[in-house]
Structures are given as structure tokens and as C-alpha cells.
Amino acid sequence: MLANPNIHPMEELKRHLRQILDVIPPHTEIYYLDYPVHSNGGDLLIMKGTEAFFRDNHINVRARYSVLDCPLSLKVPQNITIVLHGGGNFGDLYPAHQKLRERMIAQHPNHRIVILPQTMFYKSDIELKKTAQVFNRHKDVHFFVRDTRSYEIASKEFQQTNVYLSPDMAHQLWPLESKRQPNADILYFFRKDIEKTQNQVKYESASEANVVFKDWETLYNRVDRKIIRMITSRLKSGRGSNFARWLWYKYSDRMVHTAIKEFNKYKTIKTSRLHGHILACLLDQSNILLDNSYGKNSNYYNAWTQNNPVGRLEFGEKNTHNKSNGIIKGSGKVALSDGTAL
């Protein structure tokens, strides 16, 4: 979609995120809701990009809540903008997060509510209509979506909502400094959940013994999982939730570093994870993207990353593998929540 030959494609996507400042201007006071607390590195990259966007644009986060510790009746001061985490969980596949969004909209009819870039997917048209009823009762909802299909659905169904097309918040992390010295050819970074496809299964069944298959959850060890369970338990119970939130932000920095170190071992990443593709692009690393079960990956690629020469889409999807002249290779660092560089 974007194609300025004088700007690196990833820098162009990062700059495109500035449109969010039209609805969350610098120095706005916000509550940031539904930040992720789990081992899905894609959501962690979105969270780190979101927090970088807030810092870079002097947006003041007054409170943070995950789906685990957000009160059923959250009292929000009238001058606060409610900002909801982006990602790929808008719809009826991940009901806990969708219910939180709809509850916030229903409970706060006089607040500005901003939903950061999401992909929409509904199995049930009935559930989509139910969501539309909630959204259409509110006059100040701003919904950013990551692909043209989501934009078409949201624009049609959410008639009272301001809908915008936007790249993913992880692009705010560009450029990630890479100290890559690969010692292996290819990492197969494949999802293992409900969005898995038969194309992915073909790779897995035909693989040789030395082929490496990983997913976000396999990047982390038993100690990591134990710490995540402890933090999750504290947030759910409300005991020491401020400390648990602080610890999670620090620990999730470590988890992102772990993913980067793993990717740096390989010359090429072949992935069915959208954020496997995005992370490789942030590292200026060769990558091949497979689609997921409902077209999220191909729709995102066709909307935003098809002009990036380091990545391409496989399995017959549209592939505009353009290599623009004059592209400036990015360099530099990005700070995580502790201010240290990736």
C-alpha cells in the first residue's frame, strides 16, 4: 500500500502510525487496557510498540489493566481517554478480550474510546451483529484496523464508529538493532493453535530430522512459564497487582530479547505467525510468510508489507516482491520499558 522509494518500507509504516495522534494527541491522559500477560511474543511486540508510541509522543498513561485484573465496573475520570490494546483478537475467537472491549464501550458512553490496530474475524454473523449494537450506541469510538477486509466490515457494521486503516503497533519499534551472526539456514516458526492451516501441516509432515520448528511458547523454558503463572495469579487475585504489573513489564522485555536472539541464529525465517514476519522485518531479516486459517497474514501482507524486499508471501497469494532502489537501510536502537536497548 505504501511505497516511497526514498524511505525504508518499515520507516514508512512507522510514520503511518502518526495518524493515531489525531485522536490521541500528545499529552493526552489515558487508561491503557487489555495489555497481554502470556507467552505470545506477537502480542508482546505489539505491547512494546504501543508503549514506545506513548513515550515517543508524550501520551500520559494514568493506569494500566490487563483482562486479568480489569474491574468489572472500572471507574474512569471524565477527562481520560480509554485506549484498548491492538492485535488479532477482535471477534468471536477470543471472547474474553472482546467482552472487555464491549463492556468498556457500554459502561463509558461519554468517554473517548480508541481501539488500536486490530484484525477482525467472526465465525458467527449473529455475534458480529451483537458487537455492532454495542458500538453503534456510542458516539466517540475510534477503531483502527490492520487490513482492508476488516476496514470494510467495520465501516459497514459500526455506523457510529470512526474507522481507520493502520499498520500494527509493533512497527513503532523500528529499527531494532540486530547483531545477527546466523549459524543456521532456516527457522520454521509455525503456530500451533486454532489458526493453523493444512499448508503448514504439509511442511511439518515432510520435514527432515534436523529441521527446526518453533513457536512463541517453545522459546521459553519451564522457569519462564512458572514466572508467568505466578504473575497471572497475582493479577487475577488482586494481591500485589502493582508489583505484578511492574514485574511483568520487566520480564516481558526479557522475553522479547529471547525471541530476537533466537531469530538472529538463522539466515531466513519461514513463519505462519504474523509477528514472526513483522519481527523479521523489524530486524531486516529474510523471511517467508505463510497464511493463517482465515487470511489474516495475507491480508496484512497485501495491505502493508508487500513492498519490503526482505519478505515474501507463499502459497499462491499475491506477492509483489518489489525491490525498490534507493531504500535506506535502518540502523539504531529502541528502548523497552526499562529504557535499555534491544
Side-chain angles (χ1 to χ4, degrees):
M1 177 175 289
L2 305 177
N4 185 333
N6 299 314
I7 302 173
H8 193 288
M10 294 295 284
E11 177 64 27
E12 196 172 5
L13 293 177
K14 180 177 180 178
R15 293 184 185 185
H16 199 71
L17 291 173
R18 294 177 186 171
Q19 66 171 319
I20 297 171
L21 299 176
D22 292 339
V23 295
I24 316 176
H27 308 292
T28 298
E29 306 262 310
I30 71 167
Y31 276 23
Y32 174 38
L33 307 184
D34 201 21
Y35 70 86
V37 187
H38 49 240
S39 61
N40 184 310
D43 276 330
L44 300 186
L45 287 168
I46 296 171
M47 180 175 75
K48 300 306 177 184
T50 300
E51 294 284 2
F53 183 85
F54 295 156
R55 288 195 306 274
D56 294 345
N57 294 289
H58 310 288
I59 293 166
N60 303 317
V61 184
R62 289 273 302 275
R64 294 172 174 85
Y65 293 99
S66 72
V67 73
L68 303 171
D69 64 336
C70 188
L72 287 175
S73 296
L74 179 65
K75 298 187 184 301
V76 182
Q78 192 54 49
N79 63 333
I80 298 292
T81 296
I82 299 171
V83 179
L84 289 146
H85 183 71
N89 59 17
F90 194 104
D92 54 5
L93 290 184
Y94 305 95
H97 302 280
Q98 189 63 30
K99 287 177 181 177
L100 173 59
R101 278 187 285 270
E102 294 179 16
R103 189 169 77 241
M104 289 302 108
I105 291 172
Q107 290 179 354
H108 301 94
N110 299 314
H111 286 75
R112 170 162 290 188
I113 296 177
V114 180
I115 302 171
L116 294 176
Q118 278 277 354
T119 297
M120 291 182 68
F121 180 74
Y122 282 85
K123 294 182 295 182
S124 166
D125 189 59
I126 294 173
E127 293 302 317
L128 172 59
K129 298 298 184 185
K130 288 180 180 178
T131 299
Q133 288 179 348
V134 175
F135 272 64
N136 288 332
R137 294 190 192 106
H138 201 293
K139 305 300 183 184
D140 197 10
V141 175
H142 300 263
F143 185 20
F144 292 85
V145 295
R146 301 187 303 191
D147 62 90
T148 53
R149 178 60 179 153
S150 296
Y151 183 84
E152 291 168 1
I153 296 170
S155 298
K156 177 184 176 182
E157 300 293 340
F158 305 161
Q159 297 174 359
Q160 298 298 320
T161 298
N162 301 281
V163 183
Y164 315 85
L165 193 61
S166 173
D168 187 88
M169 294 303 297
H171 290 286
Q172 187 68 25
L173 295 174
W174 171 262
L176 291 182
E177 185 180 60
S178 174
K179 298 178 180 178
R180 207 151 41 89
Q181 295 181 327
N183 53 24
D185 286 333
I186 189 164
L187 168 65
Y188 290 85
F189 198 70
F190 283 176
R191 63 188 316 135
K192 302 178 184 300
D193 60 8
I194 57 176
E195 298 182 34
K196 183 176 180 177
T197 67
Q198 285 302 310
N199 284 326
Q200 177 182 317
V201 173
K202 291 177 185 177
Y203 268 107
E204 295 170 336
S205 60
S207 65
E208 299 176 1
N210 62 343
V211 172
V212 179
F213 288 93
K214 292 199 173 183
D215 194 7
W216 296 119
E217 63 183 31
T218 60
L219 293 183
Y220 310 115
N221 60 33
R222 188 173 47 135
V223 174
D224 294 323
R225 291 189 286 272
K226 184 176 180 180
I227 290 173
I228 294 171
R229 286 196 299 270
M230 181 271 290
I231 292 171
T232 298
S233 177
R234 286 214 173 193
L235 288 171
K236 284 181 176 179
S237 69
R239 298 191 310 272
S241 57
N242 287 336
F243 171 75
R245 190 176 302 115
W246 173 85
L247 178 61
W248 173 241
Y249 265 73
K250 296 292 185 182
Y251 203 78
S252 57
D253 284 350
R254 178 183 182 277
M255 296 173 71
V256 172
H257 280 284
T258 297
I260 291 170
K261 285 174 63 178
E262 185 65 27
F263 273 43
N264 281 341
K265 296 176 184 177
Y266 299 89
K267 295 176 183 176
T268 300
I269 307 297
K270 179 168 282 193
T271 182
S272 57
R273 284 281 185 188
L274 176 59
H275 283 84
H277 168 64
I278 291 176
L279 177 56
C281 289
L282 287 168
L283 294 167
D284 237 0
Q285 181 177 17
S286 172
N287 68 91
I288 301 164
L289 178 64
L290 284 65
D291 213 351
N292 73 319
S293 62
Y294 60 89
K296 175 175 66 179
N297 296 352
S298 58
N299 286 337
Y300 190 86
Y301 176 88
N302 291 326
W304 302 113
T305 56
Q306 62 174 305
N307 292 315
N308 191 334
V310 301
R312 67 179 176 87
L313 183 67
E314 195 174 89
F315 295 135
E317 300 292 346
K318 183 180 178 183
N319 181 4
T320 315
H321 189 39
N322 296 330
K323 294 190 176 183
S324 302
N325 294 325
I327 289 176
I328 302 169
K329 183 177 174 63
S331 63
K333 300 178 179 179
V334 63
L336 293 183
S337 61
D338 59 358
T340 58
L342 281 174

